[in-house]
Structure formats: C-alpha cells, structure tokens
C-alpha cells in the first residue's frame, strides 16, 4: 500500500523558517517525481514544488521561488520542503504527493497533510 | 498562468446525474492528449485522484465516475450520485507550468 506521511508542521513567526518532511513507503520512491501541494484554510489547491527522480531538477511557481526548496533522499525514501522567509499567506496544509510515471504531472497519491501556521 | 474556472456549488439529488464543468483560459491539449485531471476531496481528507488525462479512470475508482472534454472545456460526470460522493471536486491542468487547479466545485445534496 502506498503511504505518504508528512511531518514537521507547526506554528512559526513571519520571516522564520520551517522544514517539512514526507516519509514514503509501499513503492519504489526513487522511480517517481514528487511534489508538494498546499491548501490555505477554506481555499483550493496550489502546487508548490516538484522534484525529479534524482533530485537534479526542481520546479516552483513564482509565489514560492527563491524562498522554498524541495529536496529528496532516495536512500531514506524521504521528501523535504525547506521553507524560508515565511509569510502569513504561506499558512496552509501542505500535502506531499507522488507524480504518476506517465510524465504528465498528474498526482496519483497524496499524504494526509501537515499544517503550517505563520503568525506572530 | 492557465486559469481554470469551475462553478462553486452544484446541488444534486441522490441517484441522479451530476455534471461538473471546468473551463481553461487556453487549451490544455497537446495533439490528442488532454492534460486535464480531476480530484475528489472530502472534508478533513487529502485529495484523491479520480480521472487523469481527461477521461481515464484512476485505479480503484468506481465506474459511475467518468470524464470527457478536450481543448478548453472539460466535464466530470457522476452517474448515479451516491451519498459517499458528497465532496469537493477539483480540476488540474498539467499542460503548462505552473500546474494550476480550479477553485473547486462543492457537490451538495438537493
């Protein structure tokens, strides 16, 4: 069974940093592109980052580019999101997601989410 | 960025057909490949993939769900609607970066 379990969420002050982790199991992690998607309270979904299988290529929307860094450790089947210079608008539930192998960037498995609140 | 427009709410009776639409601000198709996908999200849960590439049923999804469309206009159909289908439904395009989602359609009981 595919499982994605996020951790590391919490309350953080504006301007500070936070690192999320995602532990993957039930599939060969190193064979899949991975992503982070967030959802602000009572709002829709927003793609945040994608990383290639080796970690050599990363992709971000303008809203987080330069502040967030996605990375992975294939030996540990783990995905990470380093979030710096956090803003109140980064408050959201952050989901770890697996891209399908079809290279069409559809997300076919999701974690249960980690809550991040940015507030003083 | 490609903007995806969905109606906020759709009210439907149990046993009836629900048709949820998603319109893109520009084409999300490449040749015959339609890079539009659909997700279901129940309250307090993570999203779940229902349909990929406009019309392909994801693994484990009941056959009462179906998808259609091409270019800029896409539809998710649930027929017949069951109580377990009450949820929010999101479309997502992967034609261009950044991948974008619609704002979601909340399926409610009439």
């Amino acid at each position: 069974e595919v499982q994605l379990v996020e951790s590391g969420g919490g309350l953080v002050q504006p301007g500070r940093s936070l690192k999320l982790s995602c532990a993957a199991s039930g599939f060969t992690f190193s064979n899949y592109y991975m992503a982070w998607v967030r959802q602000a309270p009572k709002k829709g979904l927003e793609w945040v980052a994608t990383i290639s299988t080796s970690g050599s290529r990363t992709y971000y929307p303008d809203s987080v580019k330069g502040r967030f860094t996605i990375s992975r450790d294939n030996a540990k089947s783990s995905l990470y999101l380093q979030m710096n210079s956090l803003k109140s608008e980064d408050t959201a539930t952050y989901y770890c997601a697996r891209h399908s192998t079809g290279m069409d960037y559809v997300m076919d498995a999701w974690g249960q989410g980690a809550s991040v609140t940015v507030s003083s | 960025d490609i903007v995806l427009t969905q109606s906020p709410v759709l009210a439907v009776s149990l046993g009836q057909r629900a048709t949820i639409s998603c319109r893109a601000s520009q084409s999300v198709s490449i040749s015959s490949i339609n890079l539009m996908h659909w997700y279901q999200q129940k309250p307090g849960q993570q999203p779940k993939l229902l349909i990929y590439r406009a019309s392909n049923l994801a693994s484990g999804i009941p056959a009462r769900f179906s998808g259609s469309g091409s270019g800029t206009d896409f539809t998710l159909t649930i027929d017949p609607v069951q109580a377990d289908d009450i949820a929010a439904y999101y479309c997502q395009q992967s034609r261009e970066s950044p991948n974008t989602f619609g704002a979601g359609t909340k399926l409610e009981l009439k």
Side-chain angles (χ1 to χ4, degrees), chain A residues 7 25-26 32 38 43 53 57 60-61 81 87-89 101:
Chain A
S7 60
S25 61
Y32 290 83
R38 69 184 179 184
K43 299 293 186 182
T53 51
R57 292 186 299 277
Y60 308 92
L81 184 68
K87 307 174 183 180
S88 58
E89 52 262 43
T101 54

Side-chain angles (χ1 to χ4, degrees), chain A residues 37 39 43-47 50 59-62 95 99 102-113, chain B residues 1 33 35 37 39 41 44-49 51-53 90 92 94 97-104:
Chain A
V37 176
Q39 185 171 35
K43 299 293 186 182
L45 302 166
E46 180 187 15
W47 167 70
T50 286
Y59 310 89
Y60 308 92
D62 287 345
Y95 295 102
H99 282 298
M103 295 306 295
D104 53 15
Y105 295 101
V106 66
M107 285 164 272
D108 65 358
W110 297 65
Q112 86 288 348
Chain B
D1 297 1
I33 301 173
L35 294 172
H37 323 291
Y39 301 86
Q41 186 178 32
Q45 294 187 17
Q46 68 268 50
K48 178 169 70 174
L49 176 65
I51 301 284
Y52 62 97
R53 294 189 182 183
Y90 295 91
Q92 177 227 342
S94 57
S97 185
N99 291 356
T100 49
F101 291 86

Side-chain angles (χ1 to χ4, degrees), chain B residues 6-12 20 104-109:
Chain B
Q6 297 182 247
S7 297
V9 177
L10 177 66
V12 64
I20 298 171
T105 296
K106 187 175 292 188
L107 189 65
E108 297 181 345
L109 285 180

Side-chain angles (χ1 to χ4, degrees), chain A residues 5-109:
Chain A
V5 180
E6 300 92 338
S7 60
L11 174 64
V12 61
Q13 293 179 329
R16 303 299 290 264
S17 300
L18 196 66
K19 186 173 185 177
L20 302 180
S21 300
C22 171
S25 61
F27 64 102
T28 304
F29 180 74
S30 58
N31 287 351
Y32 290 83
Y33 277 48
M34 297 295 296
W36 289 96
V37 176
R38 69 184 179 184
Q39 185 171 35
K42 305 292 187 185
K43 299 293 186 182
L45 302 166
E46 180 187 15
W47 167 70
V48 170
T50 286
I51 189 167
S52 64
T53 51
S54 66
S56 61
R57 292 186 299 277
T58 57
Y59 310 89
Y60 308 92
D62 287 345
S63 58
V64 307
K65 194 176 295 182
R67 299 189 300 121
F68 289 13
T69 302
I70 188 172
S71 62
R72 64 191 297 161
D73 184 336
N74 286 340
K76 294 183 178 180
S77 295
S78 292
L79 180 72
Y80 306 100
L81 184 68
Q82 176 69 47
M83 303 183 290
N84 298 331
S85 303
L86 282 162
K87 307 174 183 180
S88 58
E89 52 262 43
D90 296 318
T91 293
T93 296
Y94 286 73
Y95 295 102
C96 166
R98 184 182 78 173
H99 282 298
S100 74
T101 54
M103 295 306 295
D104 53 15
Y105 295 101
V106 66
M107 285 164 272
D108 65 358

